[in-house]
Amino acid sequence: MNEFNESHDTGSVREFTVSDADAGPYALTEGPDGALWFTLVHRGAVARRDPDDGLVTVHPVGDGPTVITAGPDGAVWFTEYRAHRIGRLTPEGDYAPFAPRTPGGGPFGITAGPDGAMWFTLSSADRVGRVTVDGEVTEYPAPGAFPSALTTGPDGALWCTLNQGNAVGRLTTDGHGTAYPLPTEGAGPVGIAAGPDGALWFTEIGAGRIGRITVDGTVTEYPLPDPAARPHAVTAGPDGALWFTEWGGGRVGRITVGGDITSYALSRTDCEPHGITAHDGALWCALETGSLARIEVRP
């Protein structure tokens, strides 16, 4: 167990040191146990922050743990980008890895699917995989190049960003894929999340925009005030808005379903915010420099 109790408070934003600067907090999720779980991409570990006392417990796993999410089985699941595996970790610390069928695929995004299984992207292999809670793995061709983040849509399909295909992809649970090209060239979509409005919302890291796509494929783009913001991850907040990290500017942004945008500065412009999730009535994001930031949701 590692104990980190330092914090930095700037009004609506509070930061908590959870690792040394070299460990690299990357993505985070609220676990089935109510705690905040996050990956330490450069340490090869997954950590848990206790919701009561803030103590951090670190669990060694495979190389390059990246995106993490809660599974339907009471465990957290995550991708191991450099080890080319999918990891499962229980609240008690029991760890199990699962190998995709395609070697060297570079698993990145992961989400709980509509069918009780976990779905993940193999970015380097242009494939999307499925793993049951018992470890049975199947794979399908992605609908475009370099599938990155993915999420379950309101239509019962999997939706993913196609980072090098400049598109958003839809994949049914039987493997049928469709790609929807983006209007802006070089958008480089990364994060994606289901919104409260029945649409999917995504980040365009290359274009400095937030995108919205309906389940029938209609795309709307919203330019950010800072074109160099490099928005990375996005999540639905408890306030009916979408929240996202601005990796290029050290900020967290908020966009309403009507397109109104505000942002919150973090302690440093170079703190490298990546993953973001709702937890305990607030928004939390992982800063690769060694902290987690909590952003208060104000009415």
Side-chain angles (χ1 to χ4, degrees), residues 13-41:
V13 180
R14 189 177 183 190
E15 296 180 18
F16 301 87
T17 302
V18 292
S19 73
D20 58 74
D22 296 329
Y26 188 85
L28 70 177
T29 191
E30 181 173 282
D33 60 348
L36 197 57
W37 291 78
F38 55 98
T39 55
L40 296 171
V41 64

Side-chain angles (χ1 to χ4, degrees), residues 171-196:
L171 193 76
T172 61
T173 54
D174 60 359
H176 178 72
T178 306
Y180 298 97
L182 300 181
T184 301
E185 185 176 352
V190 181
I192 190 168

Side-chain angles (χ1 to χ4, degrees), residues 127-198:
R127 296 180 70 79
V128 175
R130 175 185 185 270
V131 57
T132 68
V133 295
D134 298 322
E136 181 182 350
V137 178
T138 51
E139 293 179 10
Y140 304 96
F146 209 82
S148 298
L150 82 167
T151 192
T152 296
D155 56 347
L158 286 303
W159 289 76
C160 65
T161 50
L162 301 170
N163 181 262
Q164 298 302 309
N166 212 59
V168 171
R170 179 183 185 270
L171 193 76
T172 61
T173 54
D174 60 359
H176 178 72
T178 306
Y180 298 97
L182 300 181
T184 301
E185 185 176 352
V190 181
I192 190 168
D197 57 346

Side-chain angles (χ1 to χ4, degrees), residues 9-162:
D9 196 335
T10 58
S12 60
V13 180
R14 189 177 183 190
E15 296 180 18
F16 301 87
T17 302
V18 292
S19 73
D20 58 74
D22 296 329
Y26 188 85
L28 70 177
T29 191
E30 181 173 282
D33 60 348
L36 197 57
W37 291 78
F38 55 98
T39 55
L40 296 171
V41 64
H42 302 309
R43 181 177 289 179
V46 168
R48 175 187 186 273
R49 184 179 187 274
D50 191 275
D52 297 321
D53 55 22
L55 292 181
V56 174
T57 306
V58 177
H59 301 277
V61 293
D63 192 18
T66 310
V67 178
I68 187 169
T69 194
D73 56 346
V76 292
W77 291 72
F78 49 94
T79 51
E80 298 177 9
Y81 188 80
R82 290 195 290 267
H84 304 292
R85 296 186 307 216
I86 305 301
R88 177 185 183 270
L89 190 66
T90 68
E92 296 75 30
D94 296 323
Y95 162 66
F98 302 96
R101 293 180 177 271
T102 302
F108 180 80
I110 190 167
T111 192
D115 55 353
M118 304 302 296
W119 289 74
F120 57 92
T121 58
L122 293 169
S123 297
S124 300
D126 295 342
R127 296 180 70 79
V128 175
R130 175 185 185 270
V131 57
T132 68
V133 295
D134 298 322
E136 181 182 350
V137 178
T138 51
E139 293 179 10
Y140 304 96
F146 209 82
S148 298
L150 82 167
T151 192
T152 296
D155 56 347
L158 286 303
W159 289 76
C160 65
T161 50
L162 301 170

